Amino acid sequence: MKRALRGLRHTYGRLRLGTRLALGLGVLSLTVFAVVGTVLTTYMHDYLERQLGDRMKSAQVVQAKDAVEHGAVRRETYLGWYQAVYEVSDGEPRLRQPAALPEDSTAFASLAERLVDSRADDLFDTRPLGREGTYRLRACEVKPGVVLVTAAPTTDIENTVTRLITVQVVAFALALLALVVFGRRTLRRGLKPLSDMAHTAHSITSHDLTESAARLPLRAGPRGGGPEMEELRTAFNTMLEHIDDSLAVRAEAEQRLRRFVADASHELRTPLMSVRGYADLFQYAAANAPEERDNHLSRLRAEAARMGFLLDDLLLLARLDASEAETPLRLVETDLVELVQQAADAFRASHPGHPLRMTAGPAAVCPAVDTQRLRQVLDNLLANAAVHTPAGTEVSVSVAAAGGEALITVADTGPGIPPADRARVFGRFYRVNRARTRDRGGSGLGLSVADSLIRAHGGTIELTSSPGATVFTVRLPLRRGAQPTGAPADGAGGVREQADGSA
């Protein structure tokens, strides 16, 4: 038995949700139909018995008069009915003649005796009378000690109840069948969005997510199914959108990583080949003139220094990108005017062919910055202006404070940056000049390092460019509550301005 129940539960559990819901609805409907049918049948049976009792009561009114006048019932009532008069004394019922009784009349005498003992006005009973079938009996007292008992067949009641049960069974069976069939169709239509989502999920599993540009164009099907289905569909599609965006970000990160590795390998390969070549020349030409060996050694040191600068930039970018690492900055309150002045002096010394003009506001600007890193940003921006503009191009740098921010602007009057390249100039190893020559420009990390360092300070770098004007604007947050303080560094007031003597 337990094994059969276990097998039944297993089979039920493997059915589809719509089928299980339809079966559950059918069982519930069957239970409701059974309860309704039982109540209706019971009520109808009691109603018919009450009607039969009223008829018997009406008939006994006439029979009682006959029994009083003649001592027995001489009038026949309805066909198939029985009636008899009993005189009950000392607990013994004696039948008066004439009487219409079936072969087995024990129930008549017993009911007459019970009525006298109970002292009730009337008494009902239902008994089978042998081969005659089941009868409804009513006993009433005609006069003290004289009891009239009438019996009416219940065949009509039983037939009516049987027909009612038959009609109920057929009607309920048809209703149950229709309910299961149409309910199954309705449930299947209502659960179709779930099937669509399952189909979508299966389609996603067959989608190749290892591709570098893997996308998920599949989404849950059309609307419908009610608020719950709409909520589930929205959540499902939102999840797919999130997965799609995550895959896109991953693919972009992988492409960026591959490009970064390729660019870094290329940038390191060239100086390494140079180092190897100069080392071979130094090894096989060791007997050459001392000035030639010194030239080879200086070239070796220059290429090694170049690799060192490149590796330092890569290490700095890696540290800035590491979210789990602490920000590699040492923040101190610094006078930006003085720091920019130092960077300008160094630029004039290293790039005499580019006149430099410096402009500072009337007051000192002192945010909390890492002096060494910010100086590196300034050197990169100024060098970028010198490298990508022809000799004689004017370069300007300015310092100001506005809206709780420190502003450093580096501008030049060169040819400008093409619109297609402006959004990518801060990318790593990106050069406006597509050719991988190094007669102009460096490794392509200068602006990327500058952008990463400024973002580590909580600031931004903005670029605006047009023919004849390229401007990099560095925005750094001032310390909360700090304002530009101090007196002008040069003069009694106004704007401090210095220009290269060649300007």
Side-chain angles (χ1 to χ4, degrees):
M1 185 64 180
K2 292 182 178 179
R3 181 178 299 177
L5 291 176
R6 192 181 300 111
L8 185 62
R9 284 196 299 267
H10 178 70
T11 303
Y12 178 78
R14 297 186 61 182
L15 296 176
R16 296 183 65 85
L17 178 59
T19 303
R20 285 186 287 171
L21 289 176
L23 289 177
L25 182 63
V27 171
L28 179 62
S29 301
L30 184 61
T31 303
V32 172
F33 290 160
V35 172
V36 171
T38 301
V39 172
L40 183 61
T41 302
T42 303
Y43 173 79
M44 181 59 68
H45 186 272
D46 293 342
Y47 174 75
L48 294 176
E49 278 193 344
R50 285 195 302 271
Q51 278 195 329
L52 181 60
D54 292 340
R55 291 177 59 194
M56 294 175 67
K57 185 176 181 179
S58 299
Q60 282 186 335
V61 172
V62 178
Q63 292 175 346
K65 294 179 180 180
D66 195 13
V68 171
E69 293 178 1
H70 304 92
V73 178
R74 296 182 179 182
R75 297 181 182 181
E76 294 185 0
T77 55
Y78 299 102
L79 182 63
W81 286 35
Y82 296 103
Q83 58 276 338
V85 177
Y86 286 89
E87 183 177 351
V88 182
S89 60
D90 299 330
E92 290 291 335
R94 292 188 297 274
L95 178 65
R96 291 183 179 183
Q97 296 293 339
L101 292 175
E103 295 180 1
D104 185 4
S105 59
T106 305
F108 288 74
S110 175
L111 186 62
E113 183 180 356
R114 286 166 50 198
L115 177 65
V116 173
D117 293 340
S118 64
R119 297 181 181 182
D121 294 335
D122 59 357
L123 196 63
F124 284 93
D125 194 8
T126 302
R127 295 285 187 88
L129 302 181
R131 292 178 299 178
E132 302 295 332
T134 302
Y135 275 70
R136 180 73 169 167
L137 285 74
R138 182 179 187 269
C140 65
E141 195 171 25
V142 176
K143 59 182 181 179
V146 179
V147 178
L148 171 63
V149 180
T150 303
T154 60
T155 305
D156 293 339
I157 296 177
E158 294 174 354
N159 292 338
T160 302
V161 171
T162 300
R163 287 195 296 270
L164 177 62
I165 293 175
T166 303
V167 170
Q168 287 179 350
V169 170
V170 174
F172 288 165
L174 293 176
L176 181 62
L177 179 62
L179 184 63
V180 170
V181 172
F182 290 104
R184 179 70 180 92
R185 291 183 179 179
T186 303
L187 289 173
R188 181 180 298 174
R189 187 181 301 109
L191 296 175
K192 189 177 184 301
L194 291 180
S195 300
D196 294 340
M197 293 180 197
H199 178 72
T200 302
H202 286 302
S203 300
I204 291 174
T205 57
S206 62
H207 193 73
D208 187 7
L209 301 180
T210 60
E211 298 177 0
S212 58
R215 304 293 292 176
L216 297 174
L218 302 173
R219 294 295 182 268
R223 297 183 177 275
E228 293 80 5
M229 288 299 176
E230 287 293 336
E231 183 178 356
L232 180 60
R233 184 184 294 107
T234 301
F236 187 77
N237 288 338
T238 302
M239 179 191 67
L240 293 182
E241 290 289 346
H242 178 70
I243 295 175
D244 208 0
D245 294 340
S246 299
L247 289 175
V249 171
R250 187 192 70 177
E252 183 180 357
E254 290 178 351
Q255 291 178 356
R256 188 167 58 250
L257 178 61
R258 284 194 291 266
R259 186 168 57 249
F260 178 81
V261 172
D263 291 338
S265 300
H266 182 84
E267 294 295 335
L268 289 173
R269 179 175 178 270
T270 300
L272 282 175
M273 293 296 294
S274 299
V275 169
R276 180 183 299 174
Y278 287 122
D280 290 341
L281 286 175
F282 185 79
Q283 179 182 2
Y284 296 114
N288 293 342
E291 59 274 9
E292 186 175 353
R293 292 199 303 271
D294 292 340
N295 184 39
H296 294 334
L297 288 175
S298 63
R299 292 295 183 89
L300 283 172
R301 284 194 297 269
E303 294 297 333
R306 183 179 175 185
M307 283 193 297
F309 292 145
L310 177 60
L311 291 176
D312 289 341
D313 288 342
L314 291 176
L315 178 59
L316 176 59
L317 289 173
R319 293 178 64 192
L320 291 173
D321 289 342
S323 58
E324 69 277 4
E326 296 183 358
T327 303
L329 299 177
R330 297 178 180 179
L331 302 179
V332 294
E333 194 169 303
T334 304
D335 184 358
L336 288 186
V337 177
E338 181 180 354
L339 186 63
V340 173
Q341 179 65 57
Q342 295 173 4
D345 293 340
F347 178 81
R348 292 189 184 99
S350 58
H351 300 86
H354 287 77
L356 174 66
R357 182 169 56 89
M358 176 179 169
T359 304
V365 182
C366 301
V369 298
D370 187 320
T371 304
Q372 181 180 356
R373 296 306 183 187
L374 187 56
R375 172 62 187 276
Q376 183 179 358
V377 172
L378 295 173
D379 291 341
N380 286 346
L381 293 178
L382 291 171
N384 183 76
V387 168
H388 296 286
T389 58
T393 302
E394 181 179 346
V395 180
S396 63
V397 59
S398 64
V399 181
E405 292 181 326
L407 304 179
I408 304 175
T409 302
V410 178
D412 64 71
T413 57
I417 301 175
D421 297 315
R422 294 172 193 169
R424 303 178 60 186
V425 293
F426 294 105
R428 298 173 186 181
F429 297 108
Y430 184 78
R431 298 186 184 87
V432 176
N433 182 11
R434 296 293 193 273
R436 288 187 176 270
T437 60
R438 287 167 182 76
D439 55 344
R440 299 181 62 190
S443 63
L445 291 176
L447 291 180
S448 179
V449 170
D451 181 61
S452 297
L453 285 173
I454 293 302
R455 284 191 287 108
H457 280 85
T460 59
I461 296 183
E462 300 173 359
L463 168 64
T464 58
S465 182
S466 61
T470 299
V471 181
F472 287 91
T473 303
V474 177
R475 297 178 180 271
L476 293 171
L478 290 172
R479 180 170 52 87
R480 179 175 296 181
Q483 299 294 336
T485 59
D490 290 334
V495 177
R496 177 174 49 191
E497 185 173 313
Q498 296 181 6
D500 195 325
S502 60

